[in-house]
Amino acid sequence: MSKSKNNSILPMELINGSHHLLDKAYSAMVVRFFMLQSHYSSELDFSNEALKGSEKGFNRLVESFDRLAGIKPKDPNAEVLQAIEKIESNCAMHMNDDFNTPKTIAELFELATLINKLYDGSLTTDQAGIDKIQQIIQNYFIDILGMKIEKAANSGLVDGLMKFVLELRKEARDKKDYATSDKIRDTMKDLNITIKDGKDGAEVVYNG
Amino acid sequence: MNPLYIYNSLSRQKEKFEPLHPPFVGMYVCGPTLYSEAHLGNLRTYVSFDIVHRYLKFLGYKVRYVRNITDVGHLENDGDTGDDKIEKQAKLQHKEPMEVVEQYKQGYHKILELFNTLPPSIEPLATGHIPEQIEMVEKIMENGYAYDVNGNVYFNVRKYNEDHPYGQLSGRKIDELYNETRDLDGQQEKRDALDFALWKNVPKEHIMKWKSPWGNSGCPGWHIECSAMSQKYLGDEFDIHGGGMDLKFPHHEAEIAQSIGAIKKSPAKYWMHGNMLTFEGVK
Ligand SMILES: [Zn+2]
């Protein structure tokens, strides 16, 4: 393995993006996450596409885990609690099966989907449910997979601010104050944030 | 809930994890030879075993995790001939061998920290365990599985194979191995192509050299350090031995033969191997 081409990539070259085969830089946590999305006993192919995919996935998880703090406890819901517990027992089952990190990560994506539904209010749970979710994140994502929660591009704070910016823009447009609404859009564009107008109102896309 | 199952390279199947002395678990992982910066393939191996380390701790085991640093004795081509990788690098950089090791050790630790791997409990250096390695080579000689030619001590694979099967881990028969091995090129003193060095005679000018029963100027072979250091810190028999897939043969096969050859005990119950990586499909 010491003479093959792949090994001429140094970890630092991934992090600072300096290797000629790389399109961009990746954080150490994204690279670690990418590695864990394959089983240790399988060959792992590094590619720009796969790394970008992992970065997206990592951000999706971190964003949803961030949202947990913003979820208000409501009445207990047996089905939701069951779903949370199922995810936890599946994580344990996969780790017990020869440290199957890719399948464990797939369960954490299930958890993220659930959190997002709790966040937008289409599902509800009580404090015990929220605590259980927090515990799964701590145990599996942080302690076992060894991931650090870095602030993703659109963290909870950014989400809140963007919602506010979109409201201001909508108010300006409603008043036909296009100078202001365009200024908001252009400023966001300079920050690599695209505001897209759709049927259900404006949507935010983070580029890069 | 299912108990933990580990794929054991030795049996080639998933086995229920039953540590020898619960709640303690001993794990040895082969670390780097510090003659260059750790590359991505190395990093993947250490991240893989970081998961094993973390998960065993999560399950409540008290883990002693030993991961060595090779700072002498690893020759080019992973064989018994050629320059010592570190010695050569030192010459190129006009440095002391230990300066080279120190320089890359810092980078290695920095990367491992950046990637959030937990440090091992013990990180022994080969140069810090020369007496232990000499003692082990002596035991292997006493048992008749090694011979000395002009200060070079070789492990006698054929002799060993008469008493214990060689090739258990890689799943290869000794005859197949002969077919794969190049003939002795005449420059080597070993009697048989499959034999490997336990102790090497080195030029007197070398800085990394030690006195041994076989001469005044020598250094250990690459494989013996892991056998000596795992035994010292984890005992004659311990739970998990890990490393990259590329170390399965000959390095790990040699480790098993050395331990059995010295103390008639196979060192580890579970052998684990992390796979390699490619970039855009290229190895
Ligand atoms: Zn080793």
Side-chain angles (χ1 to χ4, degrees):
Chain A
M1 97 176 187
S2 52
K3 271 147 250 101
S4 47
K5 191 178 165 193
N6 55 292
N7 294 316
S8 60
I9 300 182
L10 299 172
M12 276 322 270
E13 293 175 324
L14 270 171
I15 292 169
N16 58 33
S18 63
H19 197 278
H20 69 279
L21 289 172
L22 293 171
D23 294 348
K24 64 190 272 309
Y26 297 92
S27 77
M29 278 309 106
V30 166
V31 177
R32 183 178 167 111
F33 184 73
F34 167 70
M35 287 176 171
L36 298 179
Q37 282 188 294
S38 291
H39 191 250
Y40 74 86
S41 66
S42 321
E43 207 170 75
L44 172 63
D45 188 40
F46 270 73
S47 70
N48 285 297
E49 282 317 297
L51 280 164
K52 277 176 210 161
S54 287
E55 185 173 58
K56 247 174 115 174
F58 176 77
N59 285 342
R60 209 187 116 209
L61 284 188
V62 172
E63 279 159 38
S64 83
F65 296 166
D66 252 11
R67 288 188 185 122
L68 194 61
I71 296 173
K72 301 264 179 306
K74 303 229 167 77
D75 290 337
N77 177 325
E79 264 174 55
V80 170
L81 201 60
Q82 225 170 37
I84 298 169
E85 279 165 356
K86 181 79 185 152
I87 288 170
E88 187 182 35
S89 66
N90 284 348
C91 283
M93 181 178 77
H94 296 316
M95 284 308 293
N96 278 338
D97 182 17
D98 196 27
F99 313 94
N100 198 320
T101 54
K103 286 190 177 170
T104 304
I105 289 172
E107 290 297 329
L108 294 177
F109 278 116
E110 294 290 325
L111 188 67
T113 304
L114 190 68
I115 293 170
N116 292 343
K117 284 180 182 164
L118 293 169
Y119 185 74
D120 70 21
S122 57
L123 286 178
T124 60
T125 190
D126 58 352
Q127 189 59 45
I130 293 171
D131 291 348
K132 189 91 209 152
I133 292 173
Q134 186 59 51
Q135 197 195 337
I136 297 172
I137 295 169
Q138 182 65 41
N139 287 348
Y140 287 91
F141 194 65
I142 295 174
D143 291 344
I144 294 169
L145 297 181
M147 304 306 305
K148 279 195 259 188
I149 297 200
E150 296 167 332
K151 278 275 172 247
N154 46 354
S155 62
L157 174 67
V158 176
D159 271 357
L161 288 173
M162 279 315 303
K163 219 171 143 187
F164 178 60
V165 169
L166 289 183
E167 265 172 37
L168 289 180
R169 179 164 169 269
K170 187 170 181 298
E171 279 174 26
R173 282 163 66 106
D174 289 349
K175 285 187 277 183
K176 303 212 188 299
D177 176 6
Y178 295 116
T180 303
S181 72
D182 286 354
K183 189 180 171 190
I184 290 172
R185 194 196 56 209
D186 293 344
T187 308
M188 290 300 115
K189 207 175 160 199
D190 288 345
L191 295 170
N192 273 329
I193 297 167
T194 311
I195 296 176
K196 280 187 186 165
D197 292 302
K199 270 185 238 145
D200 309 321
E203 191 198 345
V204 174
V205 179
Y206 300 92
N207 316 305
Chain B
M1 181 55 60
N2 283 334
L4 173 61
Y5 276 76
I6 294 181
Y7 181 85
N8 190 347
S9 306
L10 199 55
S11 64
R12 278 168 276 281
Q13 58 192 13
K14 280 183 198 168
E15 288 177 20
K16 188 171 164 187
F17 181 61
E18 286 171 321
L20 297 164
H21 309 288
F24 301 100
V25 171
M27 173 162 86
Y28 187 94
V29 171
C30 294
T33 301
L34 290 177
Y35 69 104
S36 64
E37 284 183 59
H39 55 62
L40 213 49
N42 299 139
L43 178 64
R44 185 188 182 202
T45 301
Y46 307 135
V47 167
S48 296
F49 287 101
D50 184 51
I51 296 295
V52 176
H53 183 199
R54 284 171 175 274
Y55 193 56
L56 291 172
K57 279 177 68 168
F58 175 79
L59 293 179
Y61 291 114
K62 301 201 179 331
V63 186
R64 181 180 290 167
Y65 175 21
V66 181
R67 188 182 61 213
N68 70 308
I69 285 176
T70 299
D71 56 352
V72 74
H74 194 169
L75 306 186
E76 289 176 297
N77 311 321
D78 296 351
D80 294 332
T81 54
D83 289 337
D84 182 298
K85 291 184 181 189
I86 293 166
E87 196 92 29
K88 186 182 177 187
Q89 200 48 235
K91 261 183 222 151
L92 286 173
Q93 298 186 22
H94 301 285
K95 285 179 175 165
E96 296 289 345
M98 285 307 260
E99 249 182 311
V100 170
V101 169
E102 196 55 45
Q103 168 193 334
Y104 292 124
K105 190 163 77 183
Q106 287 173 13
Y108 166 65
H109 284 152
K110 194 178 148 198
I111 285 293
L112 289 177
E113 201 188 321
L114 203 58
F115 279 81
N116 206 27
T117 63
L118 301 177
S121 331
I122 302 174
E123 191 169 54
L125 272 72
T127 53
H129 299 78
I130 300 296
E132 288 86 347
Q133 297 179 72
I134 290 174
E135 200 182 312
M136 194 163 208
V137 175
E138 284 182 304
K139 276 187 193 149
I140 297 170
M141 282 186 102
E142 280 164 26
N143 291 334
Y145 300 126
Y147 56 92
D148 167 15
V149 185
N150 303 326
N152 291 308
V153 181
Y154 294 103
F155 192 92
N156 189 335
V157 172
R158 193 167 277 279
K159 178 78 195 305
Y160 171 86
N161 192 57
E162 287 169 9
D163 304 332
H164 313 277
Y166 183 79
Q168 271 182 306
L169 183 64
S170 51
R172 293 193 274 184
K173 296 270 184 299
I174 194 161
D175 295 328
E176 294 170 29
L177 290 169
Y178 273 109
N179 294 333
E180 291 169 23
T181 313
R182 279 175 299 158
D183 288 338
L184 290 177
D185 54 15
Q187 295 176 331
Q188 297 185 37
E189 294 158 311
K190 58 187 181 184
R191 295 177 194 157
D192 195 295
L194 285 188
D195 294 352
F196 54 87
L198 297 171
W199 189 263
K200 291 286 290 178
N201 203 351
V202 298
K204 282 195 293 290
E205 307 82 69
H206 274 205
I207 288 173
M208 308 312 279
K209 61 167 195 274
W210 292 267
K211 230 184 202 142
S212 77
W214 314 289
N216 282 327
S217 170
C219 79
W222 172 38
H223 311 307
I224 194 75
E225 64 173 273
C226 289
S227 294
M229 296 190 294
S230 62
Q231 187 194 18
K232 183 178 175 87
Y233 297 111
L234 298 173
D236 292 350
E237 293 168 295
F238 53 93
D239 299 297
I240 299 173
H241 193 310
M245 199 82 102
D246 54 336
L247 295 181
K248 200 191 261 186
F249 189 88
H251 184 58
H252 290 161
E253 201 74 78
E255 277 189 50
I256 293 176
Q258 288 166 160
S259 291
I260 295 178
I263 56 165
K264 297 197 165 56
K265 281 176 183 163
S266 191
K269 192 172 176 187
Y270 305 90
W271 284 82
M272 295 181 67
H273 291 95
N275 212 327
M276 305 287 99
L277 52 88
T278 54
F279 192 91
E280 312 247 290
V282 181
K283 277 211 184 195

